[in-house]
Amino acid sequence: MACILKRKTIVVIGFAVAFLVVIIARLTNEVNFPLMLSCFGQSSVQWMPFSYTQKRHLRAHYGYLNVKNQEPLQLECDLCAIISNSGQMTEQKVGSEIDQASCIWRMNNAPTKGYEEDVGKRTTIRVVSHTSVPLLLKNADYFFKETNSTIYVIWGPFRNMRKDGSGIVYNMLKKTVDSYPEAKIYVTTEKRMSYCDEIFKKETGKDRIQSGSYLSTGWFTLILAMDACYRIHVYGMINDTYCKSEGFRKVPYHYYEPGRSECDEYFLHENAPYGGHRFITEKKVFAEWSKKHTITFTHPNWTLS
């Protein structure tokens, strides 16, 4: 009788252990596992289950269409690293950290070759202004052949992106896809462009066109990233007060070329009566967005109230 009871006890314990293992396995594969860790005093853990990227279905973004087949962009990432083109990236030596992100975002024609130690070497998605497309085409073999796994999202006004044969930039992209069939090139739809203008007016109270403003590539990048990314880490972007702070770091506007200092460029654009990027105004908006989304700004660090 004692042996039977002992055997039943072992079986019950075995079932209990197996059940517990299943529960733990389920929890470790859920998105909210980091939240569970925070209950045990681990709120700063930057961790995401390995299987998370395998389980999640790619999200379709209908405001961005493939030049080749007109299919919408499908993209969803856990941790996104967005790398600024700013000279702030010089001597930061965060390349290896950046390369560990799930998706790595770059803008316009910012290079990685020769700058890997500071900016990393991987590129998942590159958001490009219509004005920077010719700069990519100057080194087309590199951008569209050597790095053909990169997704390119091109934004621009309807006059340059129209598909009826009159869109100068769109025609360039069509020829590029013909020459590099594996290139993943998407264009921002007219509706999406209008949406980005509406967001600017909503956030600033100013009509973009009437105020003589041009949106920056950073603006389009953040808007898409907030749709596609679970978390965002922005490297090398300065905030709206940086250039008026004591002891700010004087660096060139771009880390990969000499030129006017970053702060001089910011003030020039912010105060231009027409045709300027409102970089400082945009940074104020980005700070507000970081209160609603999981966005971190470092190198330099942002102090958010």
Side-chain angles (χ1 to χ4, degrees), residues 228-292:
C229 305
Y230 180 73
R231 293 175 294 150
I232 300 171
H233 188 159
V234 183
Y235 292 83
M237 184 179 287
I238 61 175
N239 65 18
D240 62 295
T241 62
Y242 181 85
C243 292
K244 292 184 178 180
S245 62
E246 290 186 15
F248 71 87
R249 188 180 180 209
K250 189 173 182 179
V251 298
Y253 179 56
H254 290 150
Y255 68 79
Y256 47 89
E257 61 186 6
R260 199 189 337 258
S261 77
E262 179 176 52
C263 287
D264 286 347
E265 192 78 16
Y266 270 40
F267 289 136
L268 177 68
H269 276 270
E270 191 71 20
N271 298 313
Y274 181 81
H277 292 300
R278 309 309 184 195
F279 292 121
I280 296 174
T281 297
E282 287 187 6
K283 300 307 183 288
K284 291 180 183 178
V285 176
F286 295 168
E288 290 301 313
W289 287 350
S290 70
K291 297 174 184 178
K292 303 172 185 176

Side-chain angles (χ1 to χ4, degrees), residues 146-178:
E146 289 183 47
T147 58
N148 62 12
S149 62
T150 299
I151 297 168
Y152 293 85
V153 173
I154 317 297
W155 67 270
F158 176 70
R159 67 179 183 276
N160 288 342
M161 309 301 287
R162 57 193 302 165
K163 303 174 184 178
D164 61 0
S166 300
I168 297 175
V169 175
Y170 190 80
N171 292 344
M172 291 179 186
L173 298 175
K174 284 284 289 181
K175 290 180 180 178
T176 302
V177 170
D178 290 340

Side-chain angles (χ1 to χ4, degrees), residues 9-115:
T9 301
I10 293 173
V11 170
V12 169
I13 292 173
F15 274 118
V17 171
F19 180 74
L20 184 60
V21 168
V22 170
I23 292 297
I24 292 173
R26 285 292 301 275
L27 284 173
T28 56
N29 282 285
E30 290 297 327
V31 175
N32 290 327
F33 184 66
L35 300 180
M36 185 182 78
L37 286 178
S38 68
C39 295
F40 294 92
Q42 300 294 325
S43 58
S44 63
V45 173
Q46 299 293 313
W47 182 89
M48 186 60 59
F50 176 77
S51 62
Y52 178 65
T53 53
Q54 298 172 323
K55 288 178 65 179
R56 294 178 76 177
H57 297 292
L58 290 176
R59 186 186 307 168
H61 304 275
Y62 292 94
Y64 312 87
L65 300 180
N66 190 294
V67 171
K68 187 175 183 179
N69 56 28
Q70 300 303 303
E71 291 292 321
L73 171 66
Q74 298 207 27
L75 179 70
E76 191 154 14
C77 307
D78 297 333
L79 172 62
C80 289
I82 297 178
I83 320 307
S84 168
N85 294 3
S86 167
Q88 298 288 341
M89 293 305 302
T90 304
E91 299 178 359
Q92 296 292 0
K93 295 181 172 50
V94 288
S96 58
E97 177 184 319
I98 288 170
D99 283 334
Q100 292 175 28
S102 308
C103 296
I104 299 169
W105 298 53
R106 303 188 191 277
M107 290 175 273
N108 294 325
N109 62 318
T112 55
K113 280 188 175 181
Y115 304 92

